[in-house]
């Protein structure tokens, strides 16, 4: 009897625990789908107490019409709404991942009252459906903050900036500015740097990214290489970067046809060929990279020739002007045609190992006045020299920025 009572109590306890656990799990599952953040709609000019608020983002396959079609529009037709707003708001510009907010009535009908679409942090559109259909765009106030940082490299540039809490977009901007004068893979531990840049803040507090690069220097091969933006033509406002003497950083040619440089063979008039196993001239520079890596033309010009030969494999030759031409060999794929005009940095093909090649690479050949030369030993021209009449204006802009850089770096 005693054992029977114990068994009954045990069974009862298991049932109670099962019910409690089942109820707890059910409660958790029922809450999760509704856990969407409530927007502070006051920022859009509405009172949160007046509406039922639904926040979401544009999903793959969503259309603006489809989103509002699922709402109670109080007899209004989606087509009529789209027609009325088409002149003020392009419904085709809504992009996946962008935020929108639906403001609905607080009664049981939850009738759609307004829609707010945010294409970015700075701007938002309001489509007010309460009386007539009204559309307007608002831009939040922007505050620009200037910062100057300095330090020494203890790894990559991205790592150094990350330690100082700087957006990695600044590293990409710096690499582009210095693409003609610094090989960032050859910067050494302990090299000094200093950077002045500006950041954008929306509504005074929301970080919105890097705005501009104002000034910088990097220690490279024992020298400080400065960079200052300057518009020679004040009407166009087009910026180029110059060092502290007014010399252009941007050259007529890029340093290499690949973004990531790994030289495996230099220009050599007496080299042992790895495939033919004979001594012969190698009139180019080999850059190894994985198959499919984009190959860039190092300067603007016109595609003079494309094709295939047993030795060169797939190749492209570009004529830049009366003096200079370049050629790119062993491509896995050619992406341009003869006669096509290409800009500096245009992707003209993909790295491969066609022709006489022991592995995937691009052989970069360079002609000056019709003679093949070693591109790495040439002093190549700058793309735009400083006009003498602009030098005083440049110096006036540059000097206070240089003093700021030097002071934080304690030079």
């Amino acid at each position: 009897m005693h054992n029977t009572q114990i068994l009954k109590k045990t069974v009862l306890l298991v049932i109670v625990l099962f019910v409690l656990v089942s109820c707890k799990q059910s409660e958790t599952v029922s809450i999760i789908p509704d856990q969407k953040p409530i927007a502070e709609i006051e920022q859009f000019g509405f009172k949160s107490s007046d509406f039922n608020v639904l926040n979401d983002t544009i999903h793959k396959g969503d259309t603006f019409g489809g989103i509002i079609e699922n709402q109670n529009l109080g007899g209004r037709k989606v087509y009529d709404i789209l027609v009325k707003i088409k002149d003020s708001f392009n419904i085709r510009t809504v992009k996946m991942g962008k935020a929108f907010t639906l403001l609905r009535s607080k009664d049981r009908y939850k009738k759609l009252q307004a829609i707010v679409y945010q294409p970015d942090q700075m701007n938002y559109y309001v489509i007010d459906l309460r009386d007539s259909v009204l559309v307007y765009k608002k831009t939040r106030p922007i505050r620009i903050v200037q910062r100057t940082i300095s330090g020494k490299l203890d790894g990559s540039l991205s790592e150094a900036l990350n330690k100082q809490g700087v957006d990695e977009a600044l590293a990409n901007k710096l690499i582009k500015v210095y693409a003609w004068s610094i090989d960032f893979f050859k910067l050494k531990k302990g090299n000094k740097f200093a950077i002045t840049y500006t950041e954008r803040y929306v509504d005074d507090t929301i970080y919105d990214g890097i705005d501009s690069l104002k000034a910088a220097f990097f220690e490279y091969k024992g020298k400080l290489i400065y960079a200052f933006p300057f518009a020679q033509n004040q009407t166009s406002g087009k910026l180029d970067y110059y060092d502290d003497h007014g010399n252009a950083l941007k050259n007529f040619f890029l340093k290499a046809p690949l973004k990531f440089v790994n030289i495996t063979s230099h220009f050599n008039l007496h080299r042992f060929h790895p495939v033919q196993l004979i001594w012969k001239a190698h009139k180019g520079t080999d850059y190894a990279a994985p198959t499919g890596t984009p190959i860039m033309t190092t300067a603007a010009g016109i595609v003079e020739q494309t094709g295939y030969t047993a030795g060169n494999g797939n190749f492209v030759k570009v004529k830049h002007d009366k003096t200079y031409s370049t050629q790119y060999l062993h491509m896995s794929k050619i992406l341009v045609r003869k006669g096509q005009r290409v800009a500096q940095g245009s992707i003209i093909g993909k790295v491969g190992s066609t022709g006489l090649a022991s592995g995937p690479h691009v052989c970069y050949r360079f002609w000056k006045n019709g003679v093949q030369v070693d591109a790495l030993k040439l002093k190549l021209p700058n793309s735009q020299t400083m006009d003498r009449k602009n030098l005083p204006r440049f110096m006036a802009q540059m000097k206070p920025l240089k003093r700021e850089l030097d002071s934080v770096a304690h030079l």
Side-chain angles (χ1 to χ4, degrees), residues 258-313:
L258 303 178
K259 283 189 176 181
F260 302 99
V261 176
N262 179 21
I263 297 176
T264 53
S265 182
H266 287 76
F267 185 98
N268 189 340
L269 295 177
H270 193 62
R271 184 192 73 155
F272 188 74
H273 197 283
V275 178
Q276 294 179 306
L277 304 179
I278 58 173
W279 294 93
K280 62 183 294 188
H282 180 245
K283 296 182 178 181
T285 305
D286 288 347
Y287 296 90
T291 299
T293 301
I295 299 172
M296 304 178 294
T297 179
T298 53
I302 295 175
V303 177
E304 185 177 29
Q305 192 179 4
T306 66
Y308 178 90
T309 66
N312 297 340

Side-chain angles (χ1 to χ4, degrees), residues 183-377:
D183 182 349
F184 278 86
F185 289 93
K186 293 184 179 179
L187 288 174
K188 296 180 179 179
K189 182 178 180 180
N191 282 159
K192 294 179 180 179
F193 68 89
I195 309 161
T196 298
Y197 64 98
T198 56
E199 298 174 320
R200 294 186 305 274
Y201 286 86
V202 178
D203 279 341
D204 215 39
T205 56
I206 305 171
Y207 177 73
D208 191 48
I210 299 296
D211 181 66
S212 64
L213 174 64
K214 294 294 185 182
F217 79 68
F218 279 90
E219 183 181 4
Y220 182 65
K221 294 185 177 180
K223 297 180 180 180
L224 297 183
I225 301 181
Y226 288 85
F228 301 96
F230 182 71
Q232 293 214 61
N233 186 331
Q234 292 178 284
T235 304
S236 70
K238 182 180 179 298
L239 294 175
D240 286 298
Y241 283 82
Y242 301 85
D243 68 13
D244 52 329
H245 299 292
N247 299 313
L249 290 186
K250 185 176 181 179
N251 289 329
F252 186 67
F253 287 90
L254 293 173
K255 291 178 74 68
L258 303 178
K259 283 189 176 181
F260 302 99
V261 176
N262 179 21
I263 297 176
T264 53
S265 182
H266 287 76
F267 185 98
N268 189 340
L269 295 177
H270 193 62
R271 184 192 73 155
F272 188 74
H273 197 283
V275 178
Q276 294 179 306
L277 304 179
I278 58 173
W279 294 93
K280 62 183 294 188
H282 180 245
K283 296 182 178 181
T285 305
D286 288 347
Y287 296 90
T291 299
T293 301
I295 299 172
M296 304 178 294
T297 179
T298 53
I302 295 175
V303 177
E304 185 177 29
Q305 192 179 4
T306 66
Y308 178 90
T309 66
N312 297 340
N314 294 320
F315 71 91
V316 172
K317 188 173 183 181
V318 180
K319 185 175 181 62
H320 304 292
D321 59 15
K322 293 180 180 179
T323 304
Y324 300 106
S325 297
T326 56
Q327 190 179 29
Y328 312 79
L329 312 182
H330 309 301
M331 294 179 171
S332 61
K333 191 172 184 180
I334 296 171
L335 298 178
V336 291
R337 64 185 184 279
K338 184 178 178 180
Q340 181 177 337
R341 185 172 293 279
V342 290
Q344 185 181 57
S346 293
I347 306 303
I348 58 173
K350 300 289 183 72
V351 168
S353 52
T354 57
L356 289 176
S358 58
H361 73 285
V362 56
C363 178
Y364 176 55
R365 294 185 175 181
F366 200 100
W367 280 262
K368 181 178 180 181
N369 295 320
V371 178
Q372 282 187 258
V373 293
D374 186 351
L376 298 182
K377 293 183 178 178

Side-chain angles (χ1 to χ4, degrees), residues 15-230:
I15 291 171
V16 170
L17 287 172
F18 179 81
V19 171
L20 287 174
V21 171
S22 297
C23 290
K24 186 177 181 182
Q25 289 176 338
S26 176
E27 182 183 21
T28 304
V29 171
S30 67
I31 289 173
I32 286 174
D34 296 324
Q35 287 181 335
K36 291 188 181 296
I38 301 300
E40 296 178 3
I41 63 173
E42 282 76 10
Q43 65 180 305
F44 307 128
F46 298 93
K47 289 184 179 180
S48 57
S49 59
D50 292 344
F51 299 95
N52 170 274
V53 181
L54 176 63
N55 290 317
D56 208 339
T57 55
I58 305 294
H59 298 283
K60 187 177 181 179
D62 280 351
T63 63
F64 187 78
I67 291 169
I68 64 173
E69 190 174 20
N70 295 326
Q71 303 301 314
N72 182 357
L73 296 171
R76 280 182 170 154
K77 294 181 180 179
V78 173
Y79 176 78
D80 294 337
I81 293 173
L82 298 182
V83 168
K84 289 179 180 178
I85 69 175
K86 67 181 179 68
D87 293 331
S88 306
F89 176 66
N90 187 353
I91 61 174
R92 295 180 181 179
T93 60
V94 295
K95 294 182 179 179
M96 188 172 67
K98 300 302 182 182
F100 68 89
T101 302
L102 302 178
L103 308 181
R104 307 181 296 186
S105 62
K106 296 195 75 172
D107 57 24
R108 64 190 180 91
Y109 299 107
K110 293 184 180 178
K111 180 182 173 183
L112 186 62
Q113 305 288 295
I115 310 142
V116 181
Y117 173 65
Q118 301 177 73
D120 51 57
Q121 293 193 95
M122 289 174 54
N123 304 289
Y124 63 89
Y125 290 88
V126 175
I127 302 168
D128 195 331
L129 305 172
R130 285 175 292 185
D131 295 318
S132 59
V133 180
L134 177 65
V135 182
Y136 54 91
K137 180 184 178 182
K138 291 280 188 178
T139 299
R140 296 183 176 97
I142 299 295
R143 180 168 64 98
I144 303 297
V145 177
Q146 182 166 303
R147 292 180 62 188
T148 298
I149 62 171
S150 66
K152 293 182 179 180
L153 292 177
D154 190 25
S156 70
L157 174 60
S158 295
E159 289 171 338
L161 296 180
N162 187 54
K163 287 179 182 178
Q164 300 207 34
V166 180
D167 192 329
E168 65 178 19
L170 183 60
N172 295 330
K173 191 178 286 287
L174 286 162
I175 289 170
K176 288 180 180 178
V177 168
Y178 281 105
W180 297 266
S181 49
I182 291 179
D183 182 349
F184 278 86
F185 289 93
K186 293 184 179 179
L187 288 174
K188 296 180 179 179
K189 182 178 180 180
N191 282 159
K192 294 179 180 179
F193 68 89
I195 309 161
T196 298
Y197 64 98
T198 56
E199 298 174 320
R200 294 186 305 274
Y201 286 86
V202 178
D203 279 341
D204 215 39
T205 56
I206 305 171
Y207 177 73
D208 191 48
I210 299 296
D211 181 66
S212 64
L213 174 64
K214 294 294 185 182
F217 79 68
F218 279 90
E219 183 181 4
Y220 182 65
K221 294 185 177 180
K223 297 180 180 180
L224 297 183
I225 301 181
Y226 288 85
F228 301 96
F230 182 71

